[in-house]
Amino acid sequence: MSEVQSSAGDGAAPPYGSSKAATLRRVAPAAIAVVPVSMLFGVLAVRADWSLLEVVAISLLGFSGSGQFALLPLAESGAGFFTMLLVTASINSRYLPIAYTSAARLPSAAGKRACVAHMLGDEAYATEHERDSGACVWWIRVTIFTTWVLAGLLGALLGRVIPSAWLGADINLGYPASVVLMYLSASQLRARLWNKEQRRPAVLAAAALSAGLALLLIQLFGPVYFWIPSILLATVILGRAWP
C-alpha cells in the first residue's frame, strides 16, 4: 500500500491502469465504505420524520456526509433556512481547495464537467490520482455518488421498520461518520504529503498546528462558525508542507 501511495504522490501513472474495469476495482473499497455511513444518515433522517423523497433529494443535491449529518439536528430544532444554509456552506467550504486542485482532472465536456464537479466528495478525492483521465474520474465519482444515494435510501427504508427501542436516545449514532472522515483525512496526508521521509517532520508539525488552531477557533467562534477560517488556515499551512 505504501508503494502505491508513494507512486501516486510522486506523479506516477495510476497503479491500476485507466480502464473502466481497473477504475471500478480501485473505487470499490471507497464505495463500500460509504454504505454504512449513508445508511446511518437514512436511519437518522427517518427518525427525524424526514420523508423518503427528502432523504433522496438531500443526498442528490447536497452530496456531503458531514453537511447532511449537520442538517439533521438543525432541522429537528426548527432552525431557519438561512441558518441551515450557512452551516452547510461553512462545512462544505473545505471543498474549495479540493475542487481547485482536482479541476484539471475533470472531463472536457461542459455538462459532464459540471456533473462530475458536483459529485466531488472526500472519498472520491482520496481515491483519485493526479494523472487520472476525465473518464476515470467520472467513473470514480459516479460510483461513489450513486452508492451514497442508494445506501441512504436503503437506510431510510430500514429506519421505518427498525423498532425505536433498538436505538436509544443516548446512543451517538453520528460517531461512525466522524471516524470515517478522520480516517480519510489521515489517508490524504499520508498519500500526498508523507511519501518522502525527509518531509515527515514538516507534515507532522503542519498537521499539529492546523489541529491546534482549529481547537482555538472552536473556542472563539463556536462549533458552527469556526469551519471557514479553520479550513482556510489549514489549507495555507498544509500547502506549505507540500514539496
Side-chain angles (χ1 to χ4, degrees), residues 193-194 196-208 241:
L193 300 177
W194 194 261
K196 291 185 178 179
E197 187 172 353
Q198 62 268 28
R199 204 179 300 154
R200 294 179 181 178
V203 172
L204 285 174

Side-chain angles (χ1 to χ4, degrees), residues 22 37 40 46 52 81 96-97 117 132 137 145 190 196 203 228 234 236 239:
V37 179
L40 175 62
V46 166
L52 296 180
F81 174 77
L96 293 176
D132 280 341
V137 172
F145 183 82
R190 180 182 178 187
K196 291 185 178 179
V203 172
I228 292 180
V236 173

